[in-house]
Amino acid sequence: QVQLVESGGGLVQPGGSLRLSCAASGIGFSMYKMGWYRQAPGKQRELGATITFGDITNYADSVKGRFTISRDNSKNTVYLQMNSLKPEDTAVYYCNAQHSIVKGAEYWGQGTQVTVSS
């Protein structure tokens, strides 16, 4: 059974920081590109950042320079360090796993709420 379990969300003031974690189980972690996506109220889900097993990263322009994605392959965990948070970063953040070879082998976590507000 595949599980992606996110943690680390919460309420933070503008300019603050949060670190999200996603622990994966039931998948061959090394075969998956991991990512963080987010969905704000009334908007479509959008890319935040992705990272391959070889640590090749990709960021949305809206988070570039403020967010850092990383992974610990020994712990089957991916992280998202979020700095200089803005109110427009408020969203539900979802962990995603995409198989690097098998098309359609993709999994999502349940999401964690991040709220940036004073």
Side-chain angles (χ1 to χ4, degrees):
Q1 181 181 359
V2 177
Q3 282 193 308
L4 301 178
V5 180
E6 301 107 332
S7 60
L11 173 65
V12 63
Q13 292 187 341
S17 298
L18 280 176
R19 188 195 196 204
L20 305 183
S21 300
C22 171
S25 60
I27 61 172
F29 193 71
S30 65
M31 295 302 296
Y32 284 79
K33 179 173 71 174
M34 301 299 296
W36 289 96
Y37 290 72
R38 65 186 186 181
Q39 187 168 17
K43 295 188 177 181
Q44 290 189 332
R45 193 172 297 187
E46 64 178 13
L47 168 71
T50 61
I51 185 168
T52 68
F53 179 76
D55 289 340
I56 298 172
T57 57
N58 180 51
Y59 294 92
D61 288 342
S62 57
V63 308
K64 203 171 292 184
R66 300 187 298 121
F67 291 9
T68 302
I69 189 170
S70 61
R71 62 192 289 165
D72 185 336
N73 296 317
S74 68
K75 296 181 179 179
N76 287 6
T77 300
V78 61
Y79 305 97
L80 186 67
Q81 178 66 44
M82 305 186 293
N83 298 328
S84 303
L85 283 161
K86 306 174 181 180
E88 50 263 43
D89 294 318
T90 295
V92 178
Y93 284 71
Y94 295 91
C95 180
N96 173 267
Q98 294 183 30
H99 199 283
S100 59
I101 297 174
V102 179
K103 298 295 183 183
E106 182 176 20
Y107 304 96
W108 293 91
Q110 80 286 353
T112 185
Q113 177 69 47
V114 171
T115 302
V116 185
S117 175
S118 55

